[in-house]
Amino acid sequence: MSNTFGSFFRVTTFGESHGPMIGAVIDGIESNLPLDVGRIQKELDRRRPAQNEFESQRKEHDRIEIVSGVFEGRTTGTPVAILIRNTDQHSKDYENLKDVYRPGHADETYEARYGVRDYRGGGRASGRETAARVAAGAVAKQVLESKGIAIESRIISIHGRKENFDEVLEEAKRKGESVGGVLECTVKGMPKGIGEPVFDKLDAYIAHAVMSIGAIKGIEFGSGFSSELLYGSENNLPCNAGGILGGISDGNDIGFRVAVKPTPSIAKPQPMKTRDGGIREVGIEGRHDVCICLRIGPVVEAMTAIAVLDQLYARTGR
Amino acid sequence: MSNTFGSFFRVTTFGESHGPMIGAVIDGIESNLPLDVGRIQKELDRRRPAQNEFESQRKEHDRIEIVSGVFEGRTTGTPVAILIRNTDQHSKDYENLKDVYRPGHADETYEARYGVRDYRGGGRASGRETAARVAAGAVAKQVLESKGIAIESRIISIHGRKENFDEVLEEAKRKGESVGGVLECTVKGMPKGIGEPVFDKLDAYIAHAVMSIGAIKGIEFGSGFSSELLYGSENNLPCNAGGILGGISDGNDIGFRVAVKPTPSIAKPQPMKTRDGGIREVGIEGRHDVCICLRIGPVVEAMTAIAVLDQLYARTGR
Amino acid sequence: MSNTFGSFFRVTTFGESHGPMIGAVIDGIESNLPLDVGRIQKELDRRRPAQNEFESQRKEHDRIEIVSGVFEGRTTGTPVAILIRNTDQHSKDYENLKDVYRPGHADETYEARYGVRDYRGGGRASGRETAARVAAGAVAKQVLESKGIAIESRIISIHGRKENFDEVLEEAKRKGESVGGVLECTVKGMPKGIGEPVFDKLDAYIAHAVMSIGAIKGIEFGSGFSSELLYGSENNLPCNAGGILGGISDGNDIGFRVAVKPTPSIAKPQPMKTRDGGIREVGIEGRHDVCICLRIGPVVEAMTAIAVLDQLYARTGR
Amino acid sequence: MSNTFGSFFRVTTFGESHGPMIGAVIDGIESNLPLDVGRIQKELDRRRPAQNEFESQRKEHDRIEIVSGVFEGRTTGTPVAILIRNTDQHSKDYENLKDVYRPGHADETYEARYGVRDYRGGGRASGRETAARVAAGAVAKQVLESKGIAIESRIISIHGRKENFDEVLEEAKRKGESVGGVLECTVKGMPKGIGEPVFDKLDAYIAHAVMSIGAIKGIEFGSGFSSELLYGSENNLPCNAGGILGGISDGNDIGFRVAVKPTPSIAKPQPMKTRDGGIREVGIEGRHDVCICLRIGPVVEAMTAIAVLDQLYARTGR
């Protein structure tokens, strides 16, 4: 529970945003599978900040290091451990946030849960933690690809706009604000008959995996929330099932959409609770994303890959 | 995995719609807790079909029988096993469905998964299975109530209508159709600091639990899918968080909405794949719900109660 | 945890010795497997008391009832639930034990753990609970047999005697005493390469399963405790490995021995702690085994079958 | 399963003997606990080879590095990740073993399980892996000590000798042989009422944990295998229970003994199967222990600490 996801293909992550490194341990991977380190690196690069003007200007190099589970380029069946060093963490950026709880962040809830305040940028609750997920997910993706399954995502809406994203992004940036959006994810080449019944239905399991990403506020499969607008005879059409019926894949592509909230860290001053019970207006300086949607795709794909592979292994063994 | 949900408060269910009984085994409950059997029964009665003209006219009596884990009216800390006999199952209703795969149902995917066809109404994939969830959830609810936590749900929309549900229901019935809707669920009295970080965030965990109900196609917390319409400074307001930040409860009520799809079984003839590869037009006779939304509330509440109690126990022990 | 064993082939048991019934829910079994109910019944008959003069004269009929997971004689892949009604429970036998803690029993520790005293013969800690294990194990055995794997056990010593057990049993009975013994268990036809590395080595896993039987005080594989008398070159001979190397089956039969303690319930008066802090001399009347060793074999085999099948499924999927 | 042990206090290990490092990730530790790194290091030093002439002359420095989960000297409640670099691994020592399966080792079974041969000293099956367990166990020990619980072990016999170990060790060394022994472990200050009933009895759980150490071939609690020599009235004395009744601690010290087999790697030539199906006489050169018993104590204590703490947390929450 908690820092481990999966029963058969199991991913455990560790590390805080401002510690020396973060990492992932992958247990249960099949042996004898060629692992392309370059492609794992490429997935991390997709997630990296500072690729355009609307993303955080932090320069996370995120060079991965595989320290176990691979021998002569192939998996051995033992745990694959991946380390990613933290190189560009500015703890001083967080000095002025030491005594306030950032709204929309986990600052206050973590303190309530653990009785500890690690004010250096969120610790485990930081978006930084998702780099380890992307690394593990990149491994899952390679396993899936060896079985003909591919996972892709694309932004379908930002701040209510279906196109011309730059305009809304520029306006938000100018205002010191942030915006959210909706992302669509597709699993292609999914064989029929994968998924567990009852409590671990494939859609429930993917929902768990994907909703565990900090910024995600909702998920819907197939016709989703708009299914109520259809009659039974219409909604029964295969295109509305999202590729899953009764929790088991039906052989079509799996499709779902997720709601990504606006980045809670904004330059514009906002009222924050202070640790001594007061309220203070604070603008969060530093290097934040105008829209986390722009680089959350690899994280959503990674969690989807982990969930799908786990259920595939449940069926086939490792 | 699969027929068990939970790590600390664990619920295992069994039984098919057309077997002699269904049941639930609850492991990990604290000892010395008074258990009110009448109130468990009442939750099952809320879920029972045939309470109005739009619901299936099956008469599920659903009398629960607790066969272990309770001594002199109190829990002993050993597993609470609950049995519910199946009394009104008409296997013959399903005779004409023996050789077709009902669209929107799990008929075809179950056969792909297990290589077996149990044509008698869906087996484990039947809505009947949710009665065992409601029984287990009713136990979880009583534990939660002893700690000041209550769970409620209400329908907020049916077939796109926010009010005057009878009109859309009558029209759907007349057409031999079915309709879906949106349900809202609230957890009241939730203490601050409950929830696991990273992969088992409280919202991800509730999503898993609730999305494992057959008819649910989507879930959103707080501002959910409409958060993209807000700026960061707006979405950061506590009312939009849904009572959970960074996966941990923030002390406010938890609020989420779920999308319920139109019942796939409809009287109106629809094309169905046959087992030998053809297509046949079939209307599903028998006693089906026009709108499952009307009685899915107790199931959503039950799964929410189980998920919330499990994470509460993770924090406090049993 | 606790009332569930296994990750892939999972067994959950419930029920107390003096409640209406006990039962087992088996999750994860492969589908389409013919299940011979008569042979499950036969395993329970082997475990039944009162088969000779040295065994408890309780008449446990133990008629099993399979209420789910089987359709037309074959498994469907859904949970197999088995119920066994309690028919010959004499609660009054336990009236005089209401205020004492029986030595060698779990009376005092259960009260410390749960703050509850169920004085009617031990509740979940009763030997009665093992009937559910035998039923589930009998299912596991049938699955294993379909793969060519058989499990057997035999008594190799009672009260230090390698043969002529009747003599020591008669003497113990005459004295109002009980005796223990050593049992040997063999897994035949085990394929090579089954077992998980590191924490779930096959021998560690079997040890967990078998040591969870109340009366078992020790276990040893292959040369076991006598391996210290051998030099490395001698102990390295395959016959000393017990069929497992590095936690993985080596293709030979798996062999281990377990220590069974003398039944703690004896007719001879013994000092017992009372609930108010005193000491009282009490002889336990009723129908107790002189030597539990005589009918613990089916229980040891059952737990072994469950553990072995679980690890087999880990390798092959279901 | 497999490379993770525990449900509440969870330890995941990774790394091979001849890779760059090994490590452990500890999930579920309580927050705000001071962690003394020096004492973790000390436990590793106890396990280190080459402390006397009978131990392997490898110089494992085993400097631990804690990379997450600790802030300003205290646990934060997030995963504690510990890395230990491999510094003295002589891969060439294993060159001549490339094509043979060492008897008493996991060489052949790992190849059967994974279809891969990592000939460099056993990979995950190497004793090297236990260093990560000792590190994690040292953390568990500190948590336990903060609750008044201490774990100790001592050798009670080597090659059948109760004392004067040097004599048997010298003789074995001279002969190019190895010897085994018996170790006793004690858990002091154990509170009453800890342990799970049925399948996760405290003794069964400790057995699982400890038997997962490669060299351990047997375990017995309290009177263990000699309980058969006692009558019920004798065995019922508290001193024979080993501190656990019905799987729950009874408030006395917990005591058990383990059988440690002779080190399978010996200088004396022994017949080995070759990968092409033949037999070859090979003496294993290099730096091996005459008796692994001399330094297995910290490993046994570590696994015991992890198992006990996990069950303690099950009762109390984190």
Side-chain angles (χ1 to χ4, degrees), chain A residues 94 96-102 105-112 114-123 272-275, chain D residues 32 71-72 76:
Chain A
Y94 295 93
N96 69 325
L97 297 169
K98 206 169 166 170
D99 298 317
V100 298
Y101 302 118
R102 293 169 299 166
H105 276 281
D107 294 354
E108 192 178 357
T109 56
Y110 257 66
E111 187 172 314
Y114 295 104
V116 179
R117 180 78 200 273
D118 181 348
Y119 51 83
R120 303 163 308 164
M272 298 188 187
K273 284 204 231 178
T274 61
R275 296 189 77 201
Chain D
N32 259 322
F71 181 51
E72 299 176 345
T76 60

Side-chain angles (χ1 to χ4, degrees), chain D residues 23-95:
Chain D
V25 181
I26 300 166
D27 194 7
I29 196 166
E30 60 199 83
S31 58
N32 259 322
L33 191 94
L35 214 56
D36 183 335
V37 179
R39 292 185 55 211
I40 302 173
Q41 189 62 56
K42 207 170 277 178
E43 287 293 311
L44 276 162
D45 293 346
R46 286 178 62 207
R47 179 207 156 276
R48 199 181 53 199
Q51 309 203 48
N52 65 47
E53 60 180 313
F54 305 117
E55 293 174 358
S56 163
Q57 297 305 305
R58 278 195 308 280
K59 284 175 192 63
E60 298 182 3
H61 294 287
D62 288 350
R63 299 245 62 93
I64 65 157
E65 192 184 347
I66 297 184
V67 298
S68 71
V70 178
F71 181 51
E72 299 176 345
R74 288 173 176 268
T75 58
T76 60
T78 62
V80 175
I82 305 177
L83 306 181
I84 310 170
R85 264 155 228 291
N86 293 327
T87 51
D88 186 43
Q89 308 305 331
H90 293 205
S91 285
K92 69 178 157 41
D93 284 0
Y94 296 92
E95 272 301 309

Side-chain angles (χ1 to χ4, degrees), chain A residues 198-209 221, chain B residues 204 207-209 211-212:
Chain A
V198 187
F199 297 119
D200 293 309
K201 291 186 165 77
L202 185 52
D203 38 359
Y205 205 60
I206 292 174
H208 183 158
F221 286 80
Chain B
H208 182 159
M211 293 283 298
S212 77

Side-chain angles (χ1 to χ4, degrees), chain B residues 44-93:
Chain B
L44 277 162
D45 294 346
R46 287 178 61 208
R47 178 206 157 276
R48 201 181 52 201
Q51 308 203 50
N52 65 46
E53 61 182 311
F54 305 118
E55 294 174 357
S56 163
Q57 298 304 307
R58 276 196 311 281
K59 284 172 191 66
E60 298 182 4
H61 295 287
D62 288 351
R63 299 244 64 91
I64 64 157
E65 192 184 347
I66 297 185
V67 298
S68 71
V70 178
F71 182 50
E72 298 176 344
R74 285 172 178 269
T75 58
T76 60
T78 61
V80 175
I82 304 178
L83 306 182
I84 309 171
R85 264 157 228 290
N86 293 329
T87 52
D88 186 43
Q89 307 305 331
H90 293 205
S91 284
K92 67 176 158 44
D93 284 0

Side-chain angles (χ1 to χ4, degrees), chain D residues 137-205:
Chain D
V139 173
K141 272 185 163 183
Q142 287 192 35
V143 182
L144 288 173
E145 278 172 36
S146 76
K147 300 171 197 307
I149 302 169
I151 295 175
E152 293 168 14
S153 69
R154 66 175 205 283
I155 300 168
I156 56 172
S157 163
I158 288 185
H159 201 49
R161 276 298 169 87
K162 304 277 178 205
E163 52 188 38
N164 213 348
F165 299 149
D166 279 11
E167 207 176 277
V168 288
L169 292 167
E170 270 156 27
E171 193 178 338
K173 193 177 182 186
R174 202 173 48 241
K175 292 179 170 170
E177 282 282 8
S178 62
V179 287
V182 173
L183 203 89
E184 187 166 68
C185 186
T186 312
V187 184
K188 299 187 168 177
M190 192 68 196
K192 185 151 83 170
I194 301 303
E196 297 292 303
V198 187
F199 296 120
D200 293 309
K201 291 187 166 77
L202 185 51
D203 37 0
Y205 205 60

Side-chain angles (χ1 to χ4, degrees), chain B residues 268-315:
Chain B
K268 181 173 157 180
Q270 50 182 338
M272 298 189 188
K273 285 204 231 178
T274 61
R275 296 189 77 200
D276 56 12
I279 297 282
R280 193 192 306 164
E281 283 265 323
V282 186
I284 301 179
E285 289 165 47
R287 307 158 299 171
H288 300 289
D289 292 276
V290 172
C291 180
I292 200 70
C293 222
L294 301 179
R295 56 194 187 89
I296 209 169
V299 188
V300 171
E301 294 169 29
M303 290 312 300
T304 305
I306 292 166
V308 168
L309 181 55
D310 192 35
Q311 296 233 345
L312 198 71
Y313 276 177
R315 177 78 194 277

